[in-house]
Amino acid sequence: AAAGPTGVQRTLDWEQSSDRTLPTAAPPQFIKQWATPYGATNITGPTRDGAHAARFELRKSDPVVSSSKRAEISQRDEQPVGADRWYGFSINLDSTWSYDTSAEIVSQWHQCDTDCPGGSPPLALLTDEGRWKIDFRGQFIDLGPYTTGVWVDWVFHVTWRTDSTGVLQVWKNGERVVHRTGATHGGGPRSPYFKFGIYKWDWNTGAPSSVTQRVLRYDALRLGDERATHADVAPQRTCSRGAPVASASATTYEAANPPANAVDGDLTTRWSGQGFGAALILDTGAVRRLCGAKVAWHRGDLRWNDYTIHVSQDGVSYTKAWEGRSSGTTTAPETVLFTSGSPDARYLKISFWANPENDWASITEAGALGL
């Protein structure tokens, strides 16, 4: 496997034979927290990427491990105070993962083991009543219904602080869904450490639960420090997934060819705006990880168009993501990949500069691509 970026402290994608130690032991640098031969195993499918993944299974009848019902792999409690950490991973809930009023944690960040405030983990990713949820210091954040049998990519960025300088950011399938500032944990001599797998405390307390088994798969885990970025730890995707477009606007347009025509799915309609720098602006509706765009030009098989693409989170401050020329050989949408990487953005601005015929920008269809 290729070496990871400098900021990635550990990659656990199960592709290295030395990491495929399940079910006998946890991989190097981690701690085993399961009691059965099926609690954590290495599998060859389905996988998120590569040829291997991990499978976790917890049954209501399983023995208690570390004071509760769990099948987890844990980091060691050795995270320095005030740590800035990135966590990227992908989870696939088994088709048997049916609705239950009793919640379970599938990833958690635990208080340090000694000399800490104790109590519930300050941060956890759960499934509860058919939905993905985050428990952040006792506050539940609903992230929508879960779907079984599909890989869901997660990235968490946490600056572990007890004052106003703390940060929590969460991305689900490339879209940023949480951004909070302020204290991220309750204190102690070390920062919280990461655990993943299945933890269902109600099976230990006797609380009502209508299921007796939970199975999930875990893959593409990357742990990064303050030098890492979202792109360093995110489960890898090719830049081909269309991002939704909530609306389109433009700096100028003629009445017969408004900006909405460029996002109606019809190559026979177009947006047209006259002048150097005339721009079509796409709003994807939320800040998400963008990596490219598709643009189809009117008369694109007869003339090239010079243009620039800028991106923005707020629609006010823009940064350049790509600049170049269309092929001049097709009226079909042409894909361009951002040369600036994969920025977090909501707005995409396509600015026209020149073509060999006139000073009109005319785009028949445009869209954003995300990770």
Side-chain angles (χ1 to χ4, degrees), residues 15 21 33 44 49 68 124 136 143 156 163 178 194 232 259 263 282-283 311-312 328 337-338 342 351:
E15 300 308 306
T21 58
Q33 291 191 317
T44 56
D49 55 31
S68 196
F136 179 47
L143 298 182
F156 284 71
D163 58 20
V178 177
F194 181 58
D232 292 335
V263 293
L282 307 182
D283 178 2
V311 293
S312 171
L337 303 181
F338 294 159
S342 303
S351 300

Side-chain angles (χ1 to χ4, degrees), residues 97-307:
W97 199 282
S98 57
Y99 178 96
D100 192 9
T101 55
S102 168
E104 49 273 310
I105 287 175
V106 295
S107 299
Q108 64 171 310
W109 290 259
H110 208 280
Q111 303 278 15
C112 57
D113 292 331
T114 58
D115 303 321
C116 285
S120 299
L123 178 62
L125 175 63
L126 310 90
T127 61
D128 182 23
E129 298 182 325
R131 306 183 70 83
W132 290 109
K133 295 182 182 179
I134 287 176
D135 180 356
F136 179 47
R137 307 197 71 202
Q139 178 185 1
F140 285 86
I141 305 170
D142 192 315
L143 298 182
Y146 62 68
T147 301
T148 62
V150 299
W151 287 100
V152 180
D153 295 341
W154 299 93
V155 172
F156 284 71
H157 174 221
V158 190
T159 304
W160 293 109
R161 301 282 195 276
T162 58
D163 58 20
S164 61
T165 63
V167 175
L168 169 64
Q169 295 175 303
V170 182
W171 290 261
K172 177 186 175 186
N173 285 336
E175 178 182 345
R176 193 175 70 188
V177 292
V178 177
H179 183 95
R180 301 288 179 92
T181 58
T184 49
H185 72 117
R190 293 173 298 284
S191 294
Y193 58 94
F194 181 58
K195 303 175 67 174
F196 60 99
I198 309 170
Y199 168 48
K200 196 168 178 69
W201 59 95
D202 281 346
W203 283 351
N204 191 43
T205 64
S209 172
S210 58
V211 301
T212 58
Q213 180 196 47
R214 284 302 202 208
V215 176
L216 63 76
R217 299 163 189 90
Y218 219 97
D219 202 0
L221 173 64
R222 295 176 179 85
L223 305 175
D225 61 20
E226 68 280 355
R227 299 167 295 175
T229 67
H230 179 285
D232 292 335
V233 302
Q236 301 302 304
R237 288 184 179 270
T238 58
C239 187
S240 60
R241 187 163 63 100
V245 175
S247 63
S249 59
T251 57
T252 182
Y253 64 92
E254 60 179 345
N257 297 302
N261 285 358
V263 293
D264 62 359
D266 186 350
L267 289 173
T268 66
T269 65
R270 67 180 187 271
W271 158 75
S272 291
Q274 187 175 25
F276 186 78
L280 176 70
I281 302 168
L282 307 182
D283 178 2
T284 68
V287 174
R288 63 188 76 241
R289 205 73 172 175
L290 299 181
C291 56
K294 288 188 174 183
V295 184
W297 293 90
H298 174 60
R299 293 176 57 82
D301 57 338
L302 301 174
R303 67 189 186 192
W304 49 260
N305 290 269
D306 286 339
Y307 66 106

